[in-house]
Amino acid sequence: MKIRKAVVTAAGWGTRFLPAAKSQPKEMLLLVDKPVIQYVIEEAVASGIDQIILITALGKHAIENHFDRSFELEHILLQKGDEKRLQEVRRISDLASICYIRQKEQLGLGHAVSIAKDLVGNEPFALFLPDDLIAAEVPAMKQMLEVYERYGCSVIAVEPVPPEKTSAYGIVDPQQVEGRVFEVLSLIEKPNPEEAPSNLAIVGRYILTPEIFGLFEKVTPGAGGEIQLTDALRLLLEQQRIYAYQFEGTRYDTGEPLGLLKASIGYALNRPDLGPGFKEHLQQLDLSD
Ligand code: UTP
């Protein structure tokens, strides 16, 4: 079945970005000259998915405004004869068809996904965690869709992390199927290096079968009543195969300040209009202590 819909979870508090995230969504923080969330929606669209279900929360209106039309702004750009920016502003509002659902209480990632149930319906869907940005020649989700089409089961994006960092991620116990594709034998949340079955860490791109929705209510809530996606995935694994796919590309964790800084540098260096000047600036910096 073709994947037509993507769920994008953007309801988290973003406490690691305080004070910046106090009165604006962290998803609207800038990466060069675009908000982080726009890169994610563009990845979905470039992968052939243009029905987006965005999970938001109180105080996240800026996201909706960003993807809406702004007639005043268009009028001003038209009057100025700034055709290039006018086209860009219109392109953003025409990017995709986006529905918004408010998560009224931040009860965890699993809960955020669960409230998309009625809009997703009984079909497989893509899930994007906008903190993870993946710079890749072929969009990471497009790579995963090829795996989904070949095997017809849920697919989780993974990447190797240094063994001492396993305790920061969900880790899969993988059995290689071919090249970058692995069957998931089990999923372990944040294992110590000595308990980790591999160093393949789950990152924020998934293709999930709709059976996942029936499993969220079976998950025992953790600290603070949070319902974790990994717990539901573990239950799904008891019923169905799940594959892990080691995508090609560079992932940045823009959910924390150092990751956003690294992403800003990576994306800026790759921009033909900014890269050369920025590189020259970096080369002139005195990085000795
Ligand atoms: P995080 O665990 O990174 O939490 O969420 P957070 O609130 O975004 O950020 P910090 O830790 O306070 O700095 C992982 C993903 O799950 C979403 C977030 O928006 C992010 O995409 N999420 C998390 C929700 O949508 N709802 C929740 O209740 C929790």
Side-chain angles (χ1 to χ4, degrees), residues 24-288:
Q24 65 167 332
K26 69 168 173 180
E27 296 78 15
M28 288 302 293
L29 292 176
L30 280 192
L31 192 60
V32 188
D33 54 7
K34 283 199 275 191
V36 166
I37 189 90
Q38 190 180 327
Y39 290 87
V40 175
I41 304 297
E42 285 174 344
E43 182 188 326
V45 172
S47 305
I49 305 171
D50 63 358
Q51 291 187 42
I52 312 285
I53 299 158
L54 225 153
I55 313 298
T56 67
L58 190 73
K60 301 265 186 175
H61 276 310
I63 300 178
E64 291 168 50
N65 293 342
H66 184 70
F67 293 107
D68 202 351
R69 278 195 81 171
S70 169
F71 290 105
E72 293 91 338
L73 185 58
E74 287 182 26
H75 179 69
I76 285 163
L77 292 170
L78 194 66
Q79 274 191 332
K80 284 172 97 177
D82 194 340
E83 189 61 27
K84 191 166 159 252
R85 290 197 174 88
L86 178 63
Q87 291 311 325
E88 178 59 8
V89 161
R90 283 189 177 149
R91 186 185 72 82
I92 296 167
S93 51
D94 290 340
L95 253 184
S97 151
I98 309 181
C99 300
Y100 298 88
I101 313 183
R102 296 256 290 228
Q103 189 188 17
K104 292 179 196 138
E105 262 185 287
Q106 273 92 338
L107 292 177
L109 173 60
H111 179 259
V113 178
S114 77
I115 63 175
K117 180 178 179 215
D118 289 341
L119 283 183
V120 172
N122 193 26
E123 55 183 281
F125 63 100
L127 170 64
F128 290 78
L129 272 53
D131 283 354
D132 278 332
L133 281 195
I134 302 176
E137 243 170 66
V138 177
M141 184 52 77
K142 194 167 185 204
Q143 299 174 38
M144 293 173 68
L145 286 169
E146 280 168 22
V147 178
Y148 170 77
E149 274 155 27
R150 213 165 335 136
Y151 295 99
C153 55
S154 297
V155 183
I156 305 178
V158 291
E159 76 168 0
V161 294
E164 66 279 8
K165 297 248 169 87
T166 55
S167 59
Y169 295 91
I171 298 288
V172 299
D173 183 1
Q175 184 169 43
Q176 193 172 29
V177 175
E178 55 155 324
R180 293 174 168 269
V181 183
F182 303 84
E183 183 172 346
V184 176
L185 302 180
S186 62
L187 296 149
I188 297 130
E189 191 59 14
K190 305 192 166 112
N192 292 322
E194 53 280 4
E195 290 156 4
S198 77
N199 69 335
L200 287 181
I202 301 173
V203 306
R205 299 287 181 277
Y206 306 76
I207 294 170
L208 298 172
T209 54
E211 285 75 24
I212 193 84
F213 288 118
L215 299 171
F216 290 119
E217 45 208 66
K218 300 201 171 129
V219 165
T220 317
E226 292 210 345
I227 296 173
Q228 296 306 343
L229 176 63
T230 318
D231 291 337
L233 286 172
R234 221 177 277 127
L235 295 176
L236 188 66
L237 196 54
E238 289 173 11
Q239 303 177 359
Q240 303 180 350
R241 280 171 198 244
I242 299 180
Y243 279 40
Y245 174 68
Q246 190 184 333
F247 58 88
E248 285 181 66
T250 306
R251 180 190 68 103
Y252 298 99
D253 178 5
T254 67
E256 46 103 21
L258 184 60
L260 184 66
L261 272 174
K262 288 179 185 171
S264 302
I265 292 173
Y267 277 78
L269 286 173
N270 265 331
R271 282 265 299 253
D273 54 338
L274 300 172
F278 187 44
K279 192 170 178 189
E280 200 181 312
H281 168 72
L282 291 178
Q283 281 163 342
Q284 283 164 2
L285 290 180
D286 179 3
L287 296 178
S288 55

